[in-house]
Amino acid sequence: MTPAAVVDQLEVRALSFPTPAPESDGTLTWDHTGVVTVEVRSGSVIGLGWSYTAPAAAEIIRSVLAPEVVGEQPTSPARSWERMHRACRNLGTRGVVMAAISAVDIALWDLRSKLLGMPLADLWGTHREVVPVYGSGGFTSLTTEQLDEQVEGWLSAGCSAMKLKIGEDWGHNVTRDLDRTARVLARVHGDAQVMVDANGGYSRREAMRVGQDLDLLGVSWFEEPVSSDDGDGLRQLRDALNCEVAAGEYIAEISDARAMCDVVDCVQLDVTRCGGYTGWRRCAAYAHAARVPVSAHCAPALHLPLGLADPALRNIEWFSDHVALEEQMIEGAPVVRGGRMAAASPEASGHGYRLKDVSRFVVDGVLDTVSWSS
């Protein structure tokens, strides 16, 4: 990298990937997955980042974040992160705003490591070559046959843990929740841990009753039994149940991570929601210092470099929707064998991914380019 290198162009796209059919968890139904991609260019070198978020993030990137990045040297993504964070003070720095910051930050880290000609994990210090994953999906909208097929797919991939959705209809179908969980437990025959995710669908009282039943069944992980905003409820459940209580996918700032570490057994961090690689590493460092385990939430391709460089990361969520989407969106998507994820091209510089032709997924022509001229 030369001292004169600058980010001379930023390109942002809003994309929408349809799901095969409408899908549901305990509290939401969807038929597509939104993605905002960012490409930052310095000369002929391009860094790629993305977030799973709404098209509104593209406008935030174009109008608020790009002026803080374009024309600046790409030597310190952390410094650029601080500039972007300050620029968003009056907008708030959570939700869609932090998703926008995350996408740009990821692209800047990819660019920096490409300019140095080294894999991103090596830039941080690679500690391992593969990272454990757990199978994730098991939507409440799946038929029994579809759920069975998904479980068999995870077992065939060597997953030693897998997660399904419960809390159907805001916790109003507990009998089906428990029946589906028991079916998965019987199907894995002890060859994998079974985890559940209620997406905050239960009240405290209902979550306690369900959690006690899950303990009897042998479930190992109860994710968001109540809303992740209900810290007292999470703490009560953590202290009362045998299964691990997990939450944290909506963490945006270190202060959020600090609060979550006090109330759960395992903190989940999502690189597309907590400030990209810069924010994720800061939050993970706090959790490690507090001796609370960290698990990566969704976005498996983006979390892989973090997992390779952070031996304390427990696992990465191999989320079915994002796995299918990443195969359509990027070249170099990671591979899973024996329940572990590895880079498809370990020697590739940056995070190793390149954007495919995604023109058919662009939302209403949302494709913006911001350029710099000296």
Side-chain angles (χ1 to χ4, degrees), residues 118-141:
M118 62 192 307
L120 184 53
D122 286 357
L123 180 63
W124 295 325
T126 297
H127 283 270
R128 53 184 171 179
E129 302 303 320
V130 294
V131 185
V133 302
Y134 67 86
S136 173
F139 305 120
T140 60
S141 51

Side-chain angles (χ1 to χ4, degrees), residues 12-14 35-36 38 51-63 65 95-101 103-104:
V12 58
R13 295 173 176 83
V35 182
V36 169
V38 173
S51 286
Y52 293 98
T53 187
E59 174 58 25
I60 294 169
I61 293 167
R62 185 194 67 78
S63 62
L65 304 184
V96 70
V97 171
M98 191 55 87
I101 292 174
V104 179

Side-chain angles (χ1 to χ4, degrees), residues 108-236:
L108 289 171
W109 276 107
D110 186 41
L111 176 63
R112 185 190 181 200
S113 54
K114 283 178 176 174
L115 288 168
L116 292 170
M118 62 192 307
L120 184 53
D122 286 357
L123 180 63
W124 295 325
T126 297
H127 283 270
R128 53 184 171 179
E129 302 303 320
V130 294
V131 185
V133 302
Y134 67 86
S136 173
F139 305 120
T140 60
S141 51
L142 295 181
T143 65
T144 299
E145 293 74 19
Q146 289 170 328
L147 180 60
D148 289 347
E149 182 180 357
Q150 198 166 61
V151 169
E152 289 304 317
W154 293 330
L155 289 172
S156 297
C159 294
S160 60
M162 54 193 65
K163 186 174 77 181
L164 71 153
K165 301 290 190 180
I166 62 171
E168 182 175 354
D169 190 24
W170 287 92
H172 291 138
N173 204 342
V174 172
T175 299
R176 184 168 187 261
D177 289 340
L178 296 174
D179 286 347
R180 294 172 73 246
T181 304
R183 182 180 182 87
V184 173
L185 281 159
R187 199 162 189 88
V188 303
H189 300 297
D191 291 333
Q193 295 182 34
V194 174
M195 309 154 70
V196 297
D197 180 3
N199 288 101
Y202 296 123
S203 67
R204 289 188 194 179
R205 186 180 297 275
E206 193 66 60
M208 186 67 74
R209 287 197 292 262
V210 171
Q212 291 168 344
D213 286 334
L214 295 175
D215 279 344
L216 293 174
L217 287 171
V219 168
S220 63
W221 164 294
F222 194 1
E223 183 175 329
E224 280 196 309
V226 294
S227 169
S228 54
D229 293 330
D230 183 6
D232 288 341
L234 289 170
R235 182 188 294 106
Q236 290 172 14

Side-chain angles (χ1 to χ4, degrees), residues 201-274:
Y202 296 123
S203 67
R204 289 188 194 179
R205 186 180 297 275
E206 193 66 60
M208 186 67 74
R209 287 197 292 262
V210 171
Q212 291 168 344
D213 286 334
L214 295 175
D215 279 344
L216 293 174
L217 287 171
V219 168
S220 63
W221 164 294
F222 194 1
E223 183 175 329
E224 280 196 309
V226 294
S227 169
S228 54
D229 293 330
D230 183 6
D232 288 341
L234 289 170
R235 182 188 294 106
Q236 290 172 14
L237 291 159
R238 180 202 62 185
D239 292 345
L241 301 176
N242 290 327
C243 55
E244 286 188 296
V245 170
E249 65 187 74
Y250 302 112
I251 286 171
E253 305 273 9
I254 294 179
S255 57
D256 302 330
R258 181 173 64 245
M260 194 60 69
C261 283
D262 291 337
V263 299
V264 297
D265 294 298
C266 185
V267 170
Q268 297 171 279
L269 294 176
D270 188 321
V271 72
T272 74
R273 295 175 177 172
C274 67

Side-chain angles (χ1 to χ4, degrees), residues 311-351:
L313 177 63
R314 176 184 286 186
N315 50 29
I316 294 173
E317 182 174 9
W318 198 37
F319 181 54
S320 57
D321 274 4
H322 290 182
V323 171
L325 185 156
E326 287 168 356
E327 291 175 352
Q328 301 176 76
M329 187 175 73
I330 56 173
E331 297 176 3
V335 294
V336 171
R337 297 189 183 92
R340 287 167 170 76
M341 180 179 291
S345 302
E347 303 304 316
S349 61
H351 51 43

